């Protein structure tokens, strides 16, 4: 007797998304008979040019439904992303869905000038040493005060930056 080990992922997705919006992952995992698969892990991974943007594992409900939303930050790269959904049940049955949406900057976007005050160019740090990061943010020539500013590390860890004087924000990495 042959039993099809493949899982199916049903989801409606768009070909493009804009920064500042959420990609809604709401779908269903079924087996070859169309029966919803409960308590199944669905791993959602997004990459851009081999840089991992996010990875999230969600579980299906009693009927095989799953839901997750990823907010596309303005710090996320724009361009074509590689997004993979992989469902895997307790019996190692697998289903995979790949799609490549285009992430775009909204037409009405304000651009800021970010001037790095630290770390100082060409200064060297030793592994494990704290690196101060300080930036000055302006729109045209006006300083931007009371903004929510974050530094995103190479490991995609978000570090909030505190305003230490008007228009100047700082954190440590």
């Amino acid at each position: 007797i042959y039993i099809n080990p493949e899982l199916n992922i049903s989801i409606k997705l768009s070909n493009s998304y804009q920064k500042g919006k959420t990609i809604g992952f709401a779908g269903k995992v079924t087996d070859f008979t169309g029966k919803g698969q409960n308590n199944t892990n669905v791993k959602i991974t997004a990459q851009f040019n081999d840089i991992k943007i996010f990875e999230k594992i969600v579980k299906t409900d009693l009927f095989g439904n799953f839901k997750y939303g990823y907010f596309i930050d303005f710090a996320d790269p724009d361009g074509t992303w590689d997004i993979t959904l992989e469902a895997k049940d307790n019996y190692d049955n697998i289903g995979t869905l790949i799609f490549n949406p285009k992430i775009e900057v909204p037409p009405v976007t304000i651009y800021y000038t970010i001037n790095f005050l630290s770390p100082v160019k060409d200064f060297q740090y030793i592994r494990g040493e704290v690196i101060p990061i300080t930036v000055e943010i302006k729109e045209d020539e006006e300083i931007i005060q009371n903004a929510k500013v974050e530094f995103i590390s190479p490991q995609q860890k978000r570090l909030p930056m505190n305003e230490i004087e008007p228009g100047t924000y700082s954190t440590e990495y």
Side-chain angles (χ1 to χ4, degrees), residues 11-35:
I11 188 167
K12 186 174 184 175
L13 298 164
S14 179
N15 290 327
S16 65
Y17 295 91
Q18 290 185 344
K19 290 184 176 192
K21 303 291 183 185
T22 299
I23 301 175
F25 299 94
K28 185 171 188 168
V29 177
T30 58
D31 65 10
F32 69 98
T33 67
K35 180 182 177 204

Side-chain angles (χ1 to χ4, degrees), residues 6-11 26-32 34-43 58-66 85-89 93-95:
E6 186 175 323
L7 297 176
N8 298 305
I9 302 170
S10 301
I11 188 167
K28 185 171 188 168
V29 177
T30 58
D31 65 10
F32 69 98
K35 180 182 177 204
Q37 298 299 290
N38 68 325
N39 201 32
T40 297
N41 286 328
V42 179
K43 181 167 71 170
V58 294
K59 286 208 177 275
T60 58
D61 66 14
L62 188 61
F63 306 102
N65 299 311
F66 65 91
L85 289 85
E86 182 181 85
K88 186 174 183 181
D89 67 12
N93 296 317
I94 296 175

Side-chain angles (χ1 to χ4, degrees), residues 111-113 136-144:
Y111 289 94
Y112 297 108
T113 301
E136 176 186 64
I137 302 177
K138 292 182 178 181
E139 179 184 0
D140 294 326
E141 288 301 314
E142 288 194 37
I143 60 173
I144 302 298

Side-chain angles (χ1 to χ4, degrees), residues 98-159:
I98 298 170
F99 81 110
N100 304 101
K102 184 172 183 179
I103 306 303
E104 302 171 322
V105 177
V108 180
T109 302
I110 299 171
Y111 289 94
Y112 297 108
T113 301
I114 301 173
N115 182 28
F116 277 82
L117 305 174
S118 71
V120 179
K121 184 178 179 183
D122 298 327
F123 191 84
Q124 294 183 3
Y125 291 90
I126 299 169
R127 184 182 296 272
E129 191 174 9
V130 173
I131 301 171
I133 299 170
T134 306
V135 298
E136 176 186 64
I137 302 177
K138 292 182 178 181
E139 179 184 0
D140 294 326
E141 288 301 314
E142 288 194 37
I143 60 173
I144 302 298
Q145 297 183 58
N146 303 316
K148 178 185 173 191
V149 180
E150 295 179 323
F151 168 75
I152 302 176
S153 75
Q155 296 79 25
Q156 300 300 307
K157 182 177 179 186
R158 295 175 182 267
L159 302 172

